[in-house]
Amino acid sequence: MSSINLLIDIVLLTMLVFTTIAIVRSRSLFAIVMLSGIYSLLSANIFIILDAVDVAFTEAAVGAGISTVLMLATIGITGYEQKKRRTISWIAPMVVVVITGAVLVYGTLDMPAFTDPSAPIHQHVAPRYINDSPTEVGIPNMVTSVLASYRGYDTMGEVIVVFAAMIGVFSLIGIREKKSEPIHAEPPARPILQVMAKFMIPFIILFALYVQFHGDFGPGGGFQAGVIFSVAIILYTLTFSQQDAMKLVPPWVLKRLASIGVLIYGGTGVVSMLKGGNFLDYSVLAHDPIHGQHYGILIIEFGVGLTVACAMMLIFFAFISRGDKNP
Amino acid sequence: MISEHIPALQVVVPLLAAPICFMILNNRMAWLFATLVSWLSFAMAIMLVMEVKDGTVLRYEFGGWAPPWGIEYSVDILNAYVLLIVSGIAAVVFPYSWKSIQKEIPESHYRIYFTAMLLCLAGLLGMTITGDAFNLFVLLEISSLSSYTLISLGRDRRALTASFQYLIMGTIGATFILIGIGLLYALTGTLNMADLAVRIPPLEGSRTLEAAFAFLIVGFGLKLAMFPLHLWLPNAYAFAPSAVSAFIGSTATKVAIYALLRFLFTIFGTKFSFDYMQVHWLLMPLAVVSIMFASIVAVFQDGIKRLLAYSSVAQIGYMLLGISLVNVTGLTGTLLHLFNHALMKGGLFLTLGAVAYQIGNTRVKSVAGLGQAMPFTMGAFVVGALSLIGVPLTVGFISKWYLILATLEKGYWPLTVLILISSLIAVVYTWRIIETAYFQDRPADAPPVSEAPLSLLIPAWTLIAANLYFGINSSLSTELASSAATMLFGGNL
Amino acid sequence: MISLELYNYWVVIFLMMAGFYTLIVSNHLIKKIVGLNIFQTSVFMLYISMGKVAGGTAPIAAEGIETYSNPLPHVLILTAIVVGIATTSLALALVIRIKESYGTVQENEILELDHISDTGPQA
């Protein structure tokens, strides 16, 4: 690691430590939630320093973005302040945490030094991804190759996890549709915000599409694109109204599309089975295995993007609609 | 051609069935579809057991990439046996669900229920069959997220807090597992289980390996409700809808125990786990305490479902005890108890679901007089209770017999006494219910009750009858369990 | 020298434990979830730290670059982040329902209310 990167790393880690201490000590929930967003953003910076650009991208979009929005929506319902507790029993938790931390530190004592290229983690499996994936799978972004092809089955599981969360949120808080007409007031209720949002939303969607289809070459892919796309709709919801947004992307459509996204992914696997390969073996999808890999990755990334975008929007709608009618 | 894909289809079919089920608009169709899928996966599990019974290991490479670069599924006797348990219970609980949820879940949530059940089934099957450590984490989370959803569907508001508590403890467990897997990966450069098993033995003495071991034990300990990490379990089982209690109560902890066995025996190897880390000296006292403590707490419960939940914590203690004896007989006892406990708890929870369907709750005092009013339901309960106690001719006897043999083989006679005493406590807590049902009259002001509908009784009696069948003709389960145990001590995947 | 070579891991472990502590000590359910997020994000940093190679760049093949950091931890953590947000959103939805049915999101108050239901006529 170059010395400038080392310096940035140390500065960022120090900031993370202070953010964490502030979170532990703070009583205001609003502050805690905002600090946790900052924590995610700082850790995204760490990921960049450590060369994990795809991860940084995702952490920034998810940790600092979606997760903060959902938390704010929740504290809007539950209230901002923590009550004081009569007796605070911190001793037992502290003991548990100290022991856990001590075991981990003990475990790191034998680990190869940070950034050591001869560490076993870089020896066995990873070199093939680095050396051969550009020719075997045919795309330059190794993270995308591993994610979508070598370990494509994990990624399918990841899409199902998003789907499962959507089912859960839907089961718990559902989406309350209002009977009243959409408030598309003339002149607009929040003119400056609404004009700005109308200006920005096409660019956000364009960026989402770029991230979706450029994931082979640069950082990004279906997951990040899906999140960014949903952010465009979230922005629209916040500046206009939920009714407007739900008219634009009706929940019943989103529900189906989220399911279809999973099926596009799984269907690619089934097709490759029917064509004589194993589940998710994209090489059999075309005459030339490299083309097959290309098609396969393009299709499954689309499935990922579809499910993630729809699930995120639905989850957001569910949270926001619950808040409006809170007794 | 299709047969070579069965290891993949075992999980992929229920996994992809979930979004399809969510799109079916008609509730009854969603139920029929989900039931069909559960039967299909049971059929596939039977086929897998047939194929690996002689010791063959089936492997399946996802994406056509050879392990350790790609993810593989690997089926041997041990996980085929667990697949059989999980999918077998599902094949009974899914048809049962339709009637049972009608009184417990709002109609708008039927599709969500079946979708989440399919996801949970697929996650549990996937955790069992996978040969890749990280893939196990992903599938664990699929099954966990769907179980949190299913538990929160319970009618009582305590279902919500139970689900939240399970979510917090379950996620701590999963994160510990993630840390453990990360450390193993840092040490070996691989995530494939078979590959890990080859690369770990030479590393004995590494502190990182010891830390990874500790995190994985605690992580799976949380998931399998090892005492004192069991706090999430009683309320989760008590307040979930009846069919969910039956399904999760008889499968989820079993799969976590399977995963623990896989890590202890296959990945770390007996030499490291037992000779070097001496983990049995940790498991044995915990097992003893959980058997005694949970059995005694069960005696004082007012709700039958919570009583059975505490009894489950005690039964998990038996399974850990079998592991901690470190001999083939003990491990056979553990594996038999996986199977047998699934049958008895599944049967008992399904019976209670029938009670809840007829009288609306499952408190001990509410079953007064049901012995006459609901003879078939309470009859099933009595047989299930006998099996839980471990009376001869039921499956409960078989697994306890193996555990007792194993303690005697080791010369640990106090443990033999412990098993006998805890069985007596089981007599006490089940007798309370049976006594109330048969020897107390139903209160005069209570509304009349009739027998539960057949669509609940048939599935419940299927599992209860299996308690008798495998108790009398135990050759199938004992053969599978003992060959799996022998294989684990042989150390090859 | 050892302390400097491993400093990254140790700071990350400190953060992880601070999150874990917040998770178990907090009385407020949302603060618990924030603690859980910090705990998990720090585990992600542990993984990514293990994947860093001195002198390496982001694992996107380009002309003239010899050393890349290890892509596999990145892939694993992408999946783990998604699992994290899925868990968070489910947990928050549960918190909303708990607030609606108990009127509070303070753990001690919920436990008291549960205790009343456990011992009351509805037990």
Side-chain angles (χ1 to χ4, degrees):
Chain A
M1 213 174 200
S2 68
S3 52
I4 182 75
N5 276 359
L6 189 75
L7 189 69
I8 298 174
D9 188 49
I10 292 172
V11 170
L12 285 171
L13 284 172
T14 317
M15 286 164 78
L16 275 171
V17 169
F18 282 109
T19 314
T20 315
I21 292 172
I23 291 175
V24 174
R25 299 184 56 87
S26 176
R27 302 203 68 81
S28 155
L29 274 173
F30 185 74
I32 291 170
V33 168
M34 292 321 278
L35 283 168
S36 116
I38 291 172
Y39 186 92
S40 285
L41 215 51
L42 286 171
S43 58
N45 284 313
I46 297 252
F47 294 146
I48 294 180
I49 298 289
L50 298 176
D51 300 337
V53 279
D54 282 272
V55 179
F57 200 164
T58 314
E59 179 63 36
V62 167
I66 299 280
S67 149
T68 311
V69 168
L70 295 183
M71 286 208 187
L72 287 175
T74 312
I75 58 172
I77 295 172
T78 59
Y80 290 79
E81 286 306 315
Q82 289 191 77
K83 287 183 205 153
K84 266 226 153 50
R85 209 173 166 185
R86 287 182 308 271
T87 49
I88 299 164
S89 53
W90 57 273
I91 298 171
M94 190 52 102
V95 171
V96 170
V97 166
V98 168
I99 293 175
T100 315
V103 172
L104 257 181
V105 170
Y106 173 82
T108 58
L109 290 178
D110 280 354
M111 295 239 282
F114 177 51
T115 77
D116 181 359
S118 64
I121 192 171
H122 306 306
Q123 303 309 322
H124 180 45
V125 173
R128 172 158 173 194
Y129 298 146
I130 293 173
N131 300 326
D132 302 340
S133 81
T135 45
E136 272 182 339
V137 182
I139 58 175
N141 187 347
M142 299 157 197
V143 175
T144 305
S145 301
V146 180
L147 182 100
S149 190
Y150 294 101
R151 296 187 69 87
Y153 186 62
D154 263 354
T155 308
M156 185 172 124
E158 165 190 333
V159 179
I160 305 255
V161 166
V162 173
F163 179 76
M166 183 194 90
I167 297 283
V169 170
F170 206 71
S171 156
L172 282 162
I173 54 180
I175 292 176
R176 291 179 171 173
E177 304 212 29
K178 293 199 198 77
K179 301 280 182 286
S180 60
E181 281 297 298
I183 337 157
H184 208 105
E186 292 287 342
R190 280 161 283 194
I192 297 175
L193 280 177
Q194 293 188 350
V195 170
M196 286 303 289
K198 274 193 171 163
F199 177 73
M200 280 171 69
I201 287 168
F203 286 102
I204 299 179
I205 291 176
L206 192 67
F207 183 55
L209 291 175
Y210 168 77
V211 170
Q212 172 81 50
F213 295 106
H214 197 67
D216 297 2
F217 308 99
F223 187 77
Q224 293 91 333
V227 172
I228 293 169
F229 189 86
S230 69
V231 165
I233 301 298
I234 290 176
L235 180 66
Y236 186 77
T237 317
L238 293 177
T239 48
F240 289 84
S241 76
Q242 196 196 343
Q243 288 93 320
D244 288 322
M246 294 206 316
K247 225 176 159 189
L248 195 69
V249 276
W252 66 272
V253 175
L254 292 179
K255 269 192 259 176
R256 284 198 178 56
L257 287 179
S259 308
I260 289 169
V262 177
L263 291 175
I264 289 176
Y265 203 137
T268 314
V270 175
V271 170
S272 49
M273 250 179 196
L274 295 176
K275 288 205 151 196
N278 273 2
F279 191 73
L280 294 176
D281 183 353
Y282 313 132
S283 301
V284 296
L285 294 179
H287 288 299
D288 179 40
I290 302 290
H291 284 176
Q293 290 287 341
H294 262 298
Y295 293 143
I297 291 175
L298 206 65
I299 297 168
I300 63 109
E301 288 273 18
F302 176 67
V304 175
L306 192 64
T307 299
V308 170
C310 296
M312 290 296 158
M313 282 187 257
L314 274 173
I315 291 175
F316 174 73
F317 284 158
F319 275 84
I320 219 87
S321 72
R322 202 71 178 188
D324 287 354
K325 271 197 180 172
N326 185 43
Chain B
M1 177 216 147
I2 194 98
S3 66
E4 66 190 273
H5 291 300
I6 284 187
L9 292 173
Q10 174 80 71
V11 179
V12 167
V13 167
L15 207 55
L16 294 180
I20 296 175
C21 180
F22 191 59
M23 285 199 289
I24 298 176
L25 288 178
N26 181 305
N27 281 334
R28 186 183 287 270
M29 289 303 289
W31 164 62
L32 287 172
F33 175 72
T35 304
L36 193 72
V37 170
S38 72
W39 288 352
L40 202 61
S41 64
F42 186 41
M44 286 192 277
I46 294 174
M47 285 164 81
L48 286 177
V49 170
M50 291 304 180
E51 281 194 59
V52 298
K53 217 167 47 177
D54 54 353
T56 0
V57 177
L58 297 175
R59 292 173 183 284
Y60 190 87
E61 297 167 0
F62 279 94
W65 298 108
W69 293 278
I71 293 170
E72 75 161 346
Y73 273 1
S74 123
V75 192
D76 57 16
I77 301 184
L78 176 64
N79 53 11
Y81 174 74
V82 181
L83 290 174
L84 192 69
I85 298 174
V86 175
S87 59
I89 295 290
V92 179
V93 174
F94 275 70
Y96 175 93
S97 294
W98 178 249
K99 201 80 188 170
S100 174
I101 61 175
Q102 284 177 5
K103 288 208 177 165
E104 304 191 22
I105 294 176
E107 205 178 336
S108 56
H109 282 57
Y110 287 5
R111 266 188 312 150
I112 288 175
Y113 170 86
F114 288 113
T115 310
M117 284 287 274
L118 283 170
L119 287 173
C120 190
L121 170 64
L124 292 172
L125 291 172
M127 272 178 80
T128 309
I129 200 172
T130 189
D132 186 277
F134 193 81
N135 192 240
L136 183 137
F137 166 77
V138 175
L139 290 154
L140 169 87
E141 285 293 358
I142 293 177
S143 72
S144 305
L145 287 173
S146 41
S147 352
Y148 309 145
T149 307
L150 288 167
I151 290 166
S152 73
L153 284 171
R155 280 174 301 176
D156 194 293
R157 68 176 177 185
R158 278 169 287 176
L160 296 171
T161 38
S163 169
F164 188 82
Q165 199 181 16
Y166 184 21
L167 184 146
I168 293 290
M169 294 190 79
T171 310
I172 295 176
T175 310
F176 272 48
I177 293 168
L178 188 64
I179 295 173
I181 292 172
L183 293 176
L184 286 185
Y185 172 53
L187 271 174
T188 60
T190 184
L191 291 164
N192 182 276
M193 291 183 181
D195 205 21
L196 279 170
V198 177
R199 293 172 159 257
I200 281 177
L203 295 169
E204 194 175 292
S206 152
R207 289 165 176 165
T208 315
L209 189 63
E210 292 166 20
F213 186 79
F215 273 92
L216 287 164
I217 297 283
V218 175
F220 286 118
L222 270 159
K223 278 294 181 192
L224 65 82
M226 176 165 74
F227 185 90
L229 307 172
H230 67 283
L231 296 169
W232 58 268
L233 187 143
N235 278 356
Y237 287 9
F239 298 116
S242 307
V244 173
S245 305
F247 182 61
I248 294 182
S250 44
T251 54
T253 49
K254 311 295 175 294
V255 171
I257 290 196
Y258 157 78
L260 180 71
L261 289 174
R262 188 55 94 194
F263 272 88
L264 285 182
F265 285 87
T266 312
I267 294 177
F268 287 105
T270 44
K271 201 162 156 285
F272 180 79
S273 303
F274 300 108
D275 297 343
Y276 182 76
M277 293 300 282
Q278 303 274 325
V279 70
H280 47 293
W281 295 119
L282 171 79
L283 295 180
M284 193 181 289
L286 291 180
V288 169
V289 177
S290 76
I291 292 172
M292 288 314 288
F293 165 84
S295 302
I296 292 170
V297 174
V299 175
F300 298 99
Q301 294 305 312
D302 290 323
I304 305 180
K305 281 175 85 181
R306 187 136 63 172
L307 182 154
L308 290 183
Y310 274 106
S311 145
S312 284
V313 176
Q315 307 297 320
I316 290 161
Y318 286 128
M319 296 172 211
L320 293 176
L321 186 71
I323 301 172
S324 72
L325 292 170
V326 206
N327 59 16
V328 175
T329 322
L331 191 60
T332 309
T334 298
L335 292 173
L336 273 172
H337 209 53
L338 286 185
F339 183 82
N340 298 344
H341 183 241
L343 292 182
M344 52 181 120
K345 271 294 150 56
L348 284 170
F349 274 123
L350 289 186
T351 314
L352 281 182
V355 173
Y357 185 83
Q358 292 303 86
I359 66 169
N361 70 66
T362 52
R363 271 167 277 155
V364 175
K365 54 184 174 229
S366 306
V367 299
L370 290 190
Q372 283 80 42
M374 299 173 71
F376 290 104
T377 309
M378 290 320 290
F381 191 89
V382 171
V383 179
L386 291 175
S387 185
L388 192 61
I389 296 164
V391 172
L393 301 184
T394 63
V395 286
F397 174 74
I398 311 280
S399 30
K400 281 197 180 151
W401 177 249
Y402 271 87
L403 286 175
I404 288 175
L405 280 183
T407 53
L408 293 175
E409 215 173 273
K410 279 268 173 178
Y412 298 153
W413 62 266
L415 293 178
T416 320
V417 176
L418 172 95
I419 295 174
L420 295 174
I421 293 177
S422 68
S423 303
L424 288 177
I425 305 178
V427 175
V428 175
Y429 61 67
T430 50
W431 176 250
R432 274 182 66 214
I433 303 161
I434 293 168
E435 195 252 1
T436 317
Y438 283 92
F439 299 105
Q440 288 184 19
D441 289 328
R442 210 168 145 69
D445 57 338
V449 245
S450 54
E451 186 51 84
L454 276 180
S455 46
L456 296 179
L457 278 180
I458 292 172
W461 267 102
T462 309
L463 285 187
I464 295 294
N467 273 288
L468 295 172
Y469 178 81
F470 290 106
I472 296 162
N473 180 8
S474 63
S475 57
L476 175 74
S477 51
T478 40
E479 242 170 59
L480 285 173
S482 70
S483 38
T486 318
M487 180 205 75
L488 283 180
F489 274 104
N492 53 331
L493 187 70
Chain C
M1 239 357 252
I2 188 162
S3 58
L4 251 179
E5 285 175 337
L6 294 169
Y7 78 95
N8 202 308
Y9 297 129
W10 291 356
V11 178
V12 167
I13 290 171
F14 171 80
L15 296 172
M16 208 187 281
M17 289 307 121
F20 189 30
Y21 177 74
T22 315
L23 167 61
I24 45 186
V25 87
S26 292
N27 190 33
H28 195 287
L29 301 187
I30 296 183
K31 195 166 178 186
K32 270 185 188 294
I33 299 173
V34 171
L36 189 65
N37 276 348
I38 292 178
F39 183 33
Q40 289 185 316
T41 311
S42 318
V43 177
F44 305 160
M45 281 191 261
L46 179 74
Y47 266 75
I48 300 297
S49 304
M50 297 189 306
K52 171 72 184 169
V53 176
T57 63
I60 299 174
E63 291 288 321
I65 291 175
E66 295 284 314
T67 324
Y68 297 100
S69 281
N70 190 341
L72 186 51
H74 302 182
V75 174
L76 305 181
I77 290 316
L78 278 174
T79 307
I81 291 177
V82 177
V83 171
I85 179 69
T87 314
T88 305
S89 50
L90 195 59
L92 290 172
L94 272 168
V95 168
I96 291 178
R97 283 289 303 278
I98 289 173
K99 169 76 181 176
E100 286 174 359
S101 26
Y102 286 81
T104 175
V105 280
Q106 309 275 122
E107 197 175 37
N108 58 339
E109 295 178 3
I110 294 168
L111 288 176
E112 278 164 28
L113 288 169
D114 271 356
H115 186 68
I116 295 167
S117 344
D118 280 348
T119 48
Q122 285 304 308

